[in-house]
Amino acid sequence: MPKSARPAEAAAARAQPGILAACRLIESAATPPALQVLADLAALSPHHFHRQFKAVLGITPREYGEAIRSLRVRQLLPASASVTEALFAAGFNSSSAFYDKVRELLGMRPERFRQGGDGETIRFALGQCTLGAILVAATAQGICSIALGDDAQALLDDLQARFARAQLIGGDAAFDAWVAQIVGWVEQPTQALDLPLDIRGTAFQQRVWQALRAIPPGSTLSYSELAAQLGMPQGARAVAAACAANAIALAIPCHRVVRNDGALAGYRWGLERKRALLDREQAS
């Protein structure tokens, strides 16, 4: 490790308790607290607080607040009397602030999300590959799910739970071509999967997932290395959590992230599949 990096990491470590306290305040506040309030809580100047917050988490306090509001609005919409009620309860100070980010937050119109994806059409296919059962699903925007497992029905049940009132239909010719490309890639993973994706997640999750897509087949990074690439040397746990939240296997290759000692950990679709994918990539 370069000597110049050590003071920065030490400073981030010292600031971490105050940063975590600020995170708890952001999470509990009805509206995003002012930067000065957060900095005072962490016993730092606003400038140093902002810098250390990003060093620890990889995103700014504003982006963290947006992620919290995104989570809140997704939780509140189904049970709220109206979209307006949900967005203000989630901490948005105006409807325009919400609608400016609605595609990033929800992936669909809020009225449709509130109704469990009612009216959204999702094409899907179930099949078998050498890693077991595989499910591929896509909205009009692109692939929204690639899942692997032992039981095809369990994969379908999970998709139906995520999109409770969407219309699930069989694929057309273009969708079937995507499925064939994905299944073929499982057997011979020689290059990145180039597919249109409908990626739904917080700003931080999307940063991590974009970084994952830049890891070439046959290569791996540790959670710490990936966190460092994202400018957050203390953020390995946050990176691991974002990897675990990924719903699009293979195309967002979270299997290429390993522990610092090279051991495998934390694969949503099973460590045996993670090992098989890495072995195939490294042999290609």
Side-chain angles (χ1 to χ4, degrees):
M1 180 187 300
K3 289 185 179 180
S4 60
R6 291 174 184 161
E9 291 196 9
R14 289 194 300 271
Q16 193 163 15
I19 299 301
L20 294 177
C23 288
R24 301 296 85 82
L25 179 59
I26 294 171
E27 292 160 9
S28 62
T31 57
L35 180 62
Q36 183 67 61
V37 172
L38 297 172
D40 289 346
L41 182 62
L44 296 169
S45 71
H47 171 76
H48 283 91
F49 170 78
H50 191 278
R51 186 173 65 184
Q52 295 303 332
F53 192 100
K54 188 168 185 180
V56 172
L57 294 182
I59 54 177
T60 67
R62 179 187 293 274
E63 289 169 335
Y64 189 81
E66 288 176 353
I68 295 302
R69 286 187 295 169
S70 170
L71 176 62
R72 283 181 187 163
V73 81
R74 293 174 74 91
Q75 293 170 335
L76 290 167
L77 270 172
S80 297
S82 67
V83 173
T84 300
E85 177 185 293
L87 70 90
F88 282 110
F92 288 91
N93 56 18
S94 70
S95 58
S96 61
F98 171 72
Y99 281 99
D100 284 346
K101 292 182 174 293
V102 69
R103 179 66 183 84
E104 175 187 320
L105 296 177
L106 304 178
M108 64 183 80
R109 296 196 313 274
E111 295 82 6
R112 181 174 291 176
F113 184 91
R114 182 168 167 264
Q115 297 168 2
D118 191 19
E120 184 170 36
T121 298
I122 297 177
R123 300 186 184 278
F124 79 98
L126 288 164
Q128 291 288 322
C129 64
T130 54
L131 295 180
I134 185 168
L135 177 144
V136 181
T139 65
Q141 286 72 42
I143 300 290
C144 63
S145 179
I146 302 175
L148 302 164
D150 298 320
D151 182 352
Q153 185 60 50
L155 298 180
L156 180 56
D157 289 346
D158 180 68
L159 180 70
Q160 289 176 319
R162 289 175 56 206
F163 301 96
R165 295 179 64 183
Q167 181 184 13
L168 303 183
I169 64 174
D172 55 16
F175 178 76
D176 290 343
W178 291 345
V179 175
Q181 183 180 347
I182 292 165
V183 172
W185 185 93
V186 170
E187 311 309 326
Q188 292 186 315
T190 56
Q191 57 186 3
L193 273 171
D194 185 16
L195 295 166
L197 302 181
D198 183 355
I199 300 174
R200 304 179 184 196
T202 66
F204 173 68
Q205 288 172 336
Q206 293 197 42
R207 280 191 70 213
V208 174
W209 297 339
Q210 188 61 41
L212 291 174
R213 298 184 73 190
I215 305 173
S219 300
T220 61
L221 288 176
S222 71
Y223 295 103
S224 295
E225 288 171 333
L226 186 56
Q229 280 192 7
L230 293 169
M232 43 183 297
Q234 304 297 316
R237 288 186 179 181
V239 165
C243 290
N246 172 34
I248 308 178
L250 313 178
I252 298 177
C254 51
H255 62 275
R256 295 179 190 148
V257 189
V258 299
R259 286 173 29 177
N260 287 343
D261 60 3
L264 305 188
Y267 193 53
R268 181 173 182 165
W269 297 281
L271 293 184
E272 290 184 3
R273 292 186 178 91
K274 184 169 185 172
R275 169 52 63 196
L277 286 166
L278 291 173
D279 288 347
R280 292 177 189 189
E281 290 184 352
Q282 291 163 2
S284 297

